[in-house]
Amino acid sequence: FSGNDTFVIGLFTLNIFSYINASILVQLIISLSPKLAKLQKEVDLAGRRSINRLTRFITLIWAIIQSLSITLYLKQVLFDWNYVLAFEIIIWLTTGAMIVLWLSELITDYGLGNGASLLIYTNIISSLPNLWNKLRMENNESFTIFSGLSFTFLIFITLYGIVLLQGGERIIPLI
């Protein structure tokens, strides 16, 4: 607890962010390594598999680091914190991050869209009711119907833009 806010920790606390950070790191490594750059440019499936395997491995390492940092943060607020509890928290959070990675890959493999983007979109949508309530509570005296409608309109425009960008395609003619 901190003030009026509550810190909720669960299995999927790390969400897809470990994978996104690992993907960015892999792209940086590919730009620095000629061998990996050549592997990425090759059309065969083996090159893509090795890049995906590297991304998954870095995701695992990054999830462990993030889990460790959350565990060390919880040391300040938990009364019965010990090394066994810390190890359990790290294992559970890392497992949750890897499950989310697996689910995003399943979504992508089944052709339902980009799995990571859809999970981020779901996370944003699920936090909108809390954002609405927080805005209403903090601005109770200045909150009008017009400001509520403006906020709703901005949310719909933003969601429309996200969906438009996700489903957009650019046809490039080959000469």
Side-chain angles (χ1 to χ4, degrees):
F1 298 99
S2 67
N4 293 333
D5 294 333
T6 305
F7 179 73
V8 177
I9 187 169
L11 181 63
F12 301 121
T13 297
L14 294 182
N15 207 332
I16 194 73
F17 302 117
S18 301
Y19 175 69
I20 291 171
N21 291 331
S23 297
I24 293 170
L25 188 61
V26 165
Q27 292 302 316
L28 181 66
I29 291 171
I30 286 173
S31 68
L32 298 175
S33 169
K35 182 180 176 185
L36 286 175
K38 181 183 175 191
L39 200 64
Q40 186 186 29
K41 290 177 185 175
E42 291 179 3
V43 187
D44 66 339
L45 203 56
R48 288 187 199 150
R49 277 193 204 140
S50 61
I51 297 287
N52 285 341
R53 193 174 317 123
L54 177 65
T55 306
R56 285 187 204 114
F57 180 71
I58 293 176
T59 300
L60 176 66
I61 299 300
W62 194 250
I64 291 171
I65 291 170
Q66 287 179 323
S67 300
L68 180 65
S69 65
I70 289 174
T71 303
L72 293 177
Y73 172 76
L74 289 175
K75 182 178 182 178
Q76 302 169 3
V77 295
L78 290 178
F79 296 116
D80 58 348
W81 191 93
N82 56 35
Y83 290 110
V84 174
L85 178 65
F87 180 73
E88 289 175 356
I89 292 172
I90 291 170
I91 291 297
W92 281 107
L93 290 178
T94 304
T95 302
M98 298 313 287
I99 290 171
V100 169
L101 169 64
W102 174 69
L103 287 173
S104 79
E105 288 181 351
L106 278 179
I107 291 169
T108 304
D109 289 344
Y110 280 106
L112 300 173
N114 185 344
S117 296
L118 286 174
L119 289 175
I120 292 170
Y121 174 77
T122 306
N123 192 19
I124 292 169
I125 292 298
S126 67
S127 67
L128 284 180
N130 292 336
L131 176 64
W132 174 263
N133 287 335
K134 191 171 185 176
L135 280 173
R136 227 184 45 207
M137 293 298 175
E138 289 179 359
N139 302 310
N140 198 13
E141 56 274 348
S142 65
F143 195 80
T144 63
I145 292 178
F146 179 72
S147 61
L149 289 174
S150 299
F151 177 74
T152 305
F153 180 72
L154 285 173
I155 292 296
F156 279 122
I157 291 296
T158 304
L159 294 177
Y160 179 75
I162 290 170
V163 170
L164 189 68
L165 286 175
Q166 178 68 26
E169 62 183 50
R170 173 94 174 155
I171 299 173
I172 301 172
L174 297 175
I175 299 174

